[in-house]
């Protein structure tokens, strides 16, 4: 079957019930999206499907045909997306494993709410676990990304 | 040394650790050449740790695995400072397992900056001296008249200068300079300044390679089916269904290794090897295995609760004592007594265990996210009956350590699979595997009893611990030593004290978790200090400061010291910054926790509110003060403090692993929760300005958090929870007890 990832049509051989996460990682070698729990609890596998967050470990590749899938590798050419820049400026990551998922969730949040309040941030970011405890920096980075986004 | 190409053509200065803790500078010429020949890359290695290219870029080889503690940045700063280069020109590579990586080439003990503070600065200074020497030769002057500016050797008299890159060839051809001097701290340009972590730009682009992300051409994937009961065995299995799952290539047996039959280091299982992770998982689901549940099938945390409650109620073996405790307790005006419990915990790092092993006829290559590359290297060589130089261990980035990756049973599994398959094998543990088949922070009960005199001062302090021990089966070790890691504070500050330890025998696997031997201990001791304060009618802050009021330097564990002044200081600073003593609204409270861990000192004050209908605890703010001596990267220390606070809060509020019929009950982040974004408080970190020798920050902020939280809950609503985790129902129970219990 064919799926569209980061703007490109990609042919995949995996059986239709294979979780999208494993197709992205193993077949397409897009390892930026991470495996953390396999059951949609940790958010490490978060991608966007038609701009909305999806936990790719709970979506079959069959379900992902016919939508635009965006992964961390596809949000900018050079790391220049405001969310990525804010994440660097606030030096958010420690081990770094959760941050693809965090960034995708933040991206979706800021698309829906360019100047999010704390409740909206909590709603979007609550599903994404960080085992190292970078939440205070995530918060600052989201506010900073909102400002950077405003500045265009 | 891991690099098999061109090594014989290279000449380099070797810096390694000498026995007895000193540094040895060795000049090593592999091969007969007296000068540099035919080096394939346009760069020169000055020692194991520093490479400088002809364009002046500096690459520091990092000897410690990066688990998120920031060593790839902080250790590089040590080299860059003394070498005198612009930070923007510094990059890092990760060292493979090797013998010449200095004093502490593993991630643990909050020890990286502490151990490498001098060796890496000397490495940078040696390279700088070599460059100065080369310039001096070229200009025909004495080296002492020359200076450096970042990236350049300059002659201040003539203003002429040479870029490092232009000098590297000559510098590498000279004998290694001896007796290099290090900068005075007043000259530091980099050390002590906030630096962003070097890998952040790659991380935000999804370009950073963890173990699980590593791809080796021709690689297959494997997962192992293990008995739910620890140390259970395969009685029989049928693999025909598994083999007919598309993508599955082979099914192989994995033997138990190491330890004993009842307590193996690595357990027995059946591995499914496939061309994709999903196929391997599906194949595993299709295995038909009947298990022999093994020697631990009756084990349970229920049994351990009963056993430890009993043990902690009776006199146990003395671990350490001073003064006449029993006499003091007998003659005390008042005594206070309480029992605490800290459950099993798992580490649950977000990247589950995994590694890649490729066994070839002539050697073995391993890629592992690990905290201990050298033990993997040596054990792999032994298991495969190969010479160490035929085994290469690459260290990938690690998606969280916390002590879990001090163990490498997953590598032994992978080796066994890889030897039965003619391809590299990536062995993957699922989240469920990771929670159920690793090792745990020990289970313990603590009974504390204190005596107070007529002036409400503590005269006697008893701390009796009963639990499973990391040293239970270590030959020649006392089981109490791993669980009463230090014991000096607060017990040792009292005129009479006794620490007692009773081992609860169990085969369940236990091991180190962030601040091992101190995390459970501090919950009990610091909670009890508050209970003593309450009984004595004293403020918990005032009581602690009084206990620490005399400046003393006491022995602390095997190799540290405990300085009362330094713990006092972090408590004072945290208290002031938290607004201690200022009024709080009804239902809100503050609590203190403080401890010294691995030579650093941390105090935290939690501010919480408690809903007395539901028992729910909301943490509003944590104020943390940390003294880790001279700081290399303050940004990194703040990150570790924030992380330690959040880790501690999550464990204190949610962390508990239970065992039934020898099997762990929990399996995912649903039943072993960690703190989430919206549960995380405001965190205010104060780093003490110190010129003491650097000590670590990864573990010290963790132990105080548990008692800070329990004490804050008590301050808020008068509910004393003595059993972790602090669940709402336990808060309600404690509230009920407070209302109906004896005055």
């Amino acid at each position: 079957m064919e799926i569209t990832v980061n703007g490109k049509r990609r042919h995949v051989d995996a059986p239709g019930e294979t979780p999208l996460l494993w197709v992205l990682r193993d077949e397409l070698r897009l390892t930026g999206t991470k495996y953390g729990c396999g059951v949609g609890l940790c958010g490490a596998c978060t991608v966007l499907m038609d701009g909305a967050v999806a936990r790719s470990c709970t979506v079959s590749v069959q379900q992902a045909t016919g939508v635009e899938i965006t992964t961390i590798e596809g949000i900018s050419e050079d790391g220049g997306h405001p969310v990525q820049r804010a994440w660097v400026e606030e030096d958010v990551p420690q081990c770094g494993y959760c941050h693809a998922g965090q960034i995708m969730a933040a991206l979706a949040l800021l698309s829906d709410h360019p100047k999010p309040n704390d409740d909206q941030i909590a709603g979007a970011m609550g599903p994404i676990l960080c085992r190292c405890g970078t939440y205070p920096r995530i918060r600052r980075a989201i506010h900073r990304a909102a400002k950077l986004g405003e500045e265009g | 040394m891991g690099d098999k190409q061109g090594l014989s053509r290279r000449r380099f200065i070797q810096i390694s650790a000498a026995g007895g803790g000193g540094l040895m500078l060795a000049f090593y010429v592999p091969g007969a050449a007296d000068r540099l020949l035919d080096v394939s890359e346009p760069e020169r290695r000055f020692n194991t740790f520093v490479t400088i290219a002809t364009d002046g870029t500096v690459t520091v080889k990092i000897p410690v695995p990066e688990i998120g503690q920031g060593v790839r940045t902080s250790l590089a700063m040590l080299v860059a400072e003394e070498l005198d280069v612009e930070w923007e020109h510094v990059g890092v590579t990760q060292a493979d397992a090797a013998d010449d990586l200095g004093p502490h080439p593993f991630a643990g003990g909050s020890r990286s900056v502490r151990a490498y503070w001098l060796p890496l600065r000397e490495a940078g200074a040696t390279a700088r001296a070599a460059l100065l020497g080369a310039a001096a030769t070229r200009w025909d002057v004495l080296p002492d008249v020359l200076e450096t500016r970042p990236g350049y050797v300059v002659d201040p008299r003539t203003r002429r200068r040479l870029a490092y890159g232009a000098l590297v060839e000559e510098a590498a051809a000279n004998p290694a300079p001896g007796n290099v001097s290090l900068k005075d701290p007043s000259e530091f340009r980099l050390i002590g300044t906030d630096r962003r972590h070097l890998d952040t730009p790659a991380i935000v682009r999804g370009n950073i390679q963890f173990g699980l992300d590593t791809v080796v051409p021709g690689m297959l994937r494997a997962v192992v089916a293990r008995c739910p009961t620890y140390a259970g065995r395969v009685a029989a299995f049928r693999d025909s269904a598994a083999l007919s799952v598309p993508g599955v290539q082979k099914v192989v047996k994995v033997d138990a290794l190491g330890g004993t039959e009842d307590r193996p280091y690595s357990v027995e299982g059946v591995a499914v090897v496939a061309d994709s992770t999903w196929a391997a998982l599906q194949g595993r689901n299709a295995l038909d295995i009947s298990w022999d549940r093994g020697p631990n099938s009756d084990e349970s945390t229920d049994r351990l609760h009963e056993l430890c409650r009993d043990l902690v109620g009776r006199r146990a073996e003395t671990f350490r004592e001073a003064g006449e405790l029993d006499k003091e307790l007998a003659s005390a005006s008042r005594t206070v007594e309480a029992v605490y419990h800290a459950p099993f915990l798992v580490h649950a790092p977000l990247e589950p265990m995994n590694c890649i092993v490729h066994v070839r006829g002539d050697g073995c290559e391993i890629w592992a996210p690990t905290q201990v590359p050298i033990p993997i290297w040596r054990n792999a060589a032994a298991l495969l009956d190969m010479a160490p130089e035929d085994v290469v261990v690459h260290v990938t980035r690690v998606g969280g350590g916390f002590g879990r990756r001090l163990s490498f049973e997953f590598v032994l599994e992978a080796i066994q699979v890889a030897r039965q398959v003619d391809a590299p094998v990536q062995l993957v543990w699922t989240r469920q595997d990771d929670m159920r088949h690793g090792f745990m922070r020990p289970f313990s009960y603590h009974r504390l009893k204190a005596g107070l005199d007529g002036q409400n001062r503590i005269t006697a302090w008893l701390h009796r611990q009963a639990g499973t021990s990391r040293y239970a089966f270590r030959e020649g070790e006392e089981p109490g030593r791993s669980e009463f890691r230090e014991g000096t504070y607060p017990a040792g500050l009292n005129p009479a004290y006794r620490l007692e330890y009773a081992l609860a025998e169990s085969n369940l696997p236990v091991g180190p978790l962030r601040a091992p031997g101190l995390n459970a201990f501090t919950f009990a001791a610091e909670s009890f200090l508050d209970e003593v304060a309450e009984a004595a009618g004293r403020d918990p802050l005032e009581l602690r400061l009084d206990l620490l009021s005399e400046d003393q330097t006491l022995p602390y564990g095997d190799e540290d010291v405990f300085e009362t002044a330094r713990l006092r200081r972090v408590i004072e600073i945290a208290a002031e910054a938290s607004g201690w003593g200022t009024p709080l609204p009804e239902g809100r409270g503050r609590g203190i926790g403080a401890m010294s861990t691995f030579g650093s000192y941390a105090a935290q004050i939690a501010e919480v509110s408690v809903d007395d209908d539901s028992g729910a605890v909301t943490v509003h703010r944590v104020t943390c003060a940390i003294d880790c001596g001279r700081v290399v990267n303050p940004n990194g220390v703040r990150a570790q403090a924030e992380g330690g606070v959040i880790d501690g809060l999550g464990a204190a509020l949610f962390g508990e692993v239970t065992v039934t019929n020898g099997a762990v009950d929990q399996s995912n982040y649903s039943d072993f929760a960690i703190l989430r974004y919206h549960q995380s408080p405001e965190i205010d970190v104060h780093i003490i300005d110190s010129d003491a020798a650097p000590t670590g920050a990864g573990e010290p902020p963790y132990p105080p958090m548990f008692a800070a939280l329990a004490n804050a809950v008590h301050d808020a609503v008068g509910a004393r929870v003595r059993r972790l985790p602090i669940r709402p129902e336990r808060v309600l129970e404690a509230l009920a007890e407070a209302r109906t219990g004896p005055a």
Side-chain angles (χ1 to χ4, degrees), chain A residues 17-19 22 25-26 29 31-39 41-42 44 72-73 75 77-79 84 87-100 103 118 121-122 125-140 142, chain B residues 66-68 195-197 200-201 203-208 210 212-213 215 221 276-278 281 346-352 397-400 402 428-432 514 635 638-640 642-644 646-647 668-670 674-678 680-681 683:
Chain A
E17 66 272 14
T18 310
W22 294 115
R25 289 183 56 84
D26 286 2
R29 305 286 203 219
T31 56
T33 308
K34 304 298 185 210
Y35 167 79
C37 74
V39 294
L41 279 171
C42 76
I72 185 75
E73 292 93 341
I75 69 175
E77 277 299 311
D78 55 357
Q84 290 169 312
W87 241 251
V88 169
E89 284 168 28
E90 294 294 338
D91 201 32
V92 182
Q94 289 186 29
C95 87
Y97 197 77
C98 74
H99 287 281
I103 287 170
D118 284 340
I121 299 176
M125 306 312 289
I128 324 287
L129 287 179
C130 172
R131 183 66 184 85
C132 297
T134 64
Y135 302 127
R137 294 182 184 221
I138 290 173
R139 182 162 182 274
R140 289 204 296 274
I142 288 174
Chain B
E66 176 64 67
I67 60 173
R195 294 290 144 179
R196 293 191 187 127
H197 292 97
T200 302
I203 292 169
V204 305
R205 298 177 64 181
N207 273 351
I208 196 90
F210 292 88
L212 204 63
D213 304 328
V215 176
R221 322 272 183 160
S276 72
T277 315
W278 186 246
L281 289 169
V346 288
H347 310 70
L350 202 55
E351 180 189 18
R397 193 177 185 90
V398 183
F402 311 103
V428 179
W429 289 35
T430 62
R431 172 58 45 202
Q432 294 83 347
R514 201 169 197 167
N635 171 43
R638 276 197 306 276
Q640 292 309 294
E642 290 160 4
I646 289 171
D647 192 3
N668 214 310
Y669 291 114
S670 42
I674 65 171
L675 209 67
R676 288 185 180 269
Y677 177 93
H678 51 284
S680 179
I683 303 173

Side-chain angles (χ1 to χ4, degrees), chain B residues 270-334:
Chain B
V270 181
V272 176
V273 187
D275 58 15
S276 72
T277 315
W278 186 246
L281 289 169
Q282 298 301 100
R284 184 170 72 170
N285 290 344
L287 282 174
D288 181 7
I289 309 181
S290 57
W291 296 106
D292 164 0
R293 306 235 134 201
N296 303 308
S297 56
D298 286 335
E299 181 61 300
S300 69
T301 36
D302 283 348
R303 181 190 82 87
L304 288 171
H305 279 292
E306 217 184 292
L307 173 61
C308 289
R309 279 188 195 123
D310 175 58
L311 287 171
V312 92
R314 300 188 272 118
R315 181 78 164 85
E317 203 171 314
T318 301
F319 177 73
R320 198 178 294 162
E321 68 184 333
E324 298 188 70
L325 178 85
D326 298 309
K327 206 164 135 219
E328 292 291 348
L329 280 175
S331 61
S333 296
R334 204 134 55 107

Side-chain angles (χ1 to χ4, degrees), chain B residues 450-532:
Chain B
L452 292 165
D453 67 13
Q455 283 83 53
N456 284 314
R457 284 184 309 227
I458 305 171
T459 55
W461 184 280
L462 167 69
H463 186 149
R464 177 182 302 146
Q465 193 178 163
T468 61
S469 164
R470 296 181 297 118
Y471 281 8
F473 302 104
R474 244 198 233 198
E475 280 218 30
E477 287 285 9
E478 295 176 71
R481 220 164 69 73
S482 57
E483 307 315 312
F484 265 129
R485 205 192 162 83
E486 318 292 0
T488 307
Y489 168 80
L493 299 180
N494 298 292
Y497 75 91
R498 189 163 69 228
L499 308 177
E500 296 174 15
Y501 191 78
L503 176 66
E505 297 202 21
S506 173
N507 287 333
L508 292 176
V510 291
L513 180 150
R514 201 169 197 167
L518 275 169
N519 48 54
F521 169 88
T522 305
F523 164 63
E526 283 284 287
S527 294
F528 188 63
L529 250 186
D530 261 42
E531 297 209 57
V532 170

